[in-house]
Amino acid sequence: KDVESITYYSEIKSMNWAVQKDILIEEVKRLGCIRMGVTDLSGKGNFTDGSTSDLSDMNYMKQALQGITNITDPSLSKIDNTMVIVIASPIRDINDKIIGVLVSTHENTVFSKIVEKIKMGNEGYSFVINKQGTTIAHPKKELVESQDNIFENAKKDPDLQSLADIERKMVNGEKGFGEYSYGGVNKFMSFAPILNSEWSIGLTVSRDEFYASLNSLKAKIAVTTIIFILLGIA
């Protein structure tokens, strides 16, 4: 929404790069992204870091030219070959006609920083996968950069099949709960699709930690019960 709102600036609608550049440099600082740029309808664009590129073959460009603001999975940048996330939003004139596309490039860790805040207990964590089962957000950022895929991993390691079965439900857009074993640890996972996207989020925690508070409660109840039995006998 932050990126989309920039397309309403009169300076951006001007499609004059000399005017657009200064505005976008300030927006890059405000949003903390890597760079911003504007392309014409052919996909050729200028960016705030001085680079130029032809993005006509990129899917995010095609969607933006159809009037859809969209955000990509982490992928290799066509400009500098680094792992990034791109947001593309159509620029419209006063008659609501699409005249260009605003492109905003962000570090691939932007999703991971969000899901790091969604956790349970001390060891529980969240992660996000796309419809192919590829990890796009995870506390272990190397899994995002390597485009880790549980379905491919399970082909090599049968012990991962229980996790792959749960993630199969995730990519199918289901919502639910499951149990699996990973690295010799029994775990629980709840999962749900992320609205208005082709992604799904999972929240996982070890079975021991999940039941830790319940076990503590059981112990307290047992001790209290024994005390009252002894008092009753007395």
Side-chain angles (χ1 to χ4, degrees), residues 88-112:
S89 184
I91 300 172
R92 302 174 186 270
D93 63 15
I94 58 174
N95 297 314
D96 205 37
K97 179 181 178 182
I98 296 175
I99 54 178
V101 175
L102 175 64
V103 180
S104 180
T105 304
H106 301 253
E107 293 182 357
N108 76 82
T109 56
V110 65
F111 289 159
S112 296

Side-chain angles (χ1 to χ4, degrees), residues 14-182:
S14 71
M15 291 305 291
N16 181 338
W17 179 242
V19 175
Q20 295 169 326
K21 183 177 180 180
D22 290 339
I23 297 294
L24 294 183
I25 287 176
E26 291 302 315
E27 292 299 331
V28 166
K29 295 177 182 177
R30 180 175 73 88
L31 297 180
C33 53
I34 297 173
R35 58 179 166 269
M36 282 188 173
V38 173
T39 75
D40 57 23
L41 297 179
S42 71
K44 296 179 180 178
N46 297 293
F47 292 84
T48 52
D49 60 1
S51 61
T52 59
S53 185
D54 182 351
L55 305 176
S56 57
D57 60 338
M58 305 304 291
N59 187 55
Y60 60 79
M61 278 295 301
K62 296 174 182 178
Q63 290 190 62
L65 289 173
Q66 292 175 3
I68 304 170
T69 296
N70 64 101
I71 184 168
T72 70
D73 294 344
S75 56
L76 290 177
S77 168
K78 188 173 182 179
I79 295 176
D80 57 15
N81 209 40
T82 59
M83 189 69 75
V84 297
I85 289 169
V86 177
I87 301 172
S89 184
I91 300 172
R92 302 174 186 270
D93 63 15
I94 58 174
N95 297 314
D96 205 37
K97 179 181 178 182
I98 296 175
I99 54 178
V101 175
L102 175 64
V103 180
S104 180
T105 304
H106 301 253
E107 293 182 357
N108 76 82
T109 56
V110 65
F111 289 159
S112 296
K113 290 177 180 177
I114 294 174
V115 300
E116 279 179 356
K117 301 175 183 178
I118 307 171
K119 56 185 179 180
M120 180 177 182
N122 296 319
E123 299 179 2
Y125 62 88
S126 294
F127 66 97
V128 177
I129 59 175
N130 63 16
K131 63 179 181 179
Q132 286 79 37
T134 301
T135 302
I136 64 171
H138 198 286
K140 295 181 179 178
K141 298 176 178 59
E142 61 271 19
L143 296 181
V144 178
E145 294 175 354
S146 65
Q147 297 185 310
D148 186 73
N149 186 292
I150 187 61
F151 304 131
E152 295 301 321
N153 296 342
K155 293 177 182 178
K156 306 171 186 176
D157 185 354
D159 290 340
L160 296 175
Q161 191 57 50
S162 59
L163 176 56
D165 291 341
I166 295 176
E167 294 200 20
R168 179 65 64 187
K169 295 179 180 180
M170 293 174 69
V171 301
N172 288 336
E174 297 179 33
K175 178 171 62 175
F177 177 88
E179 185 173 0
Y180 67 100
S181 178
Y182 185 84

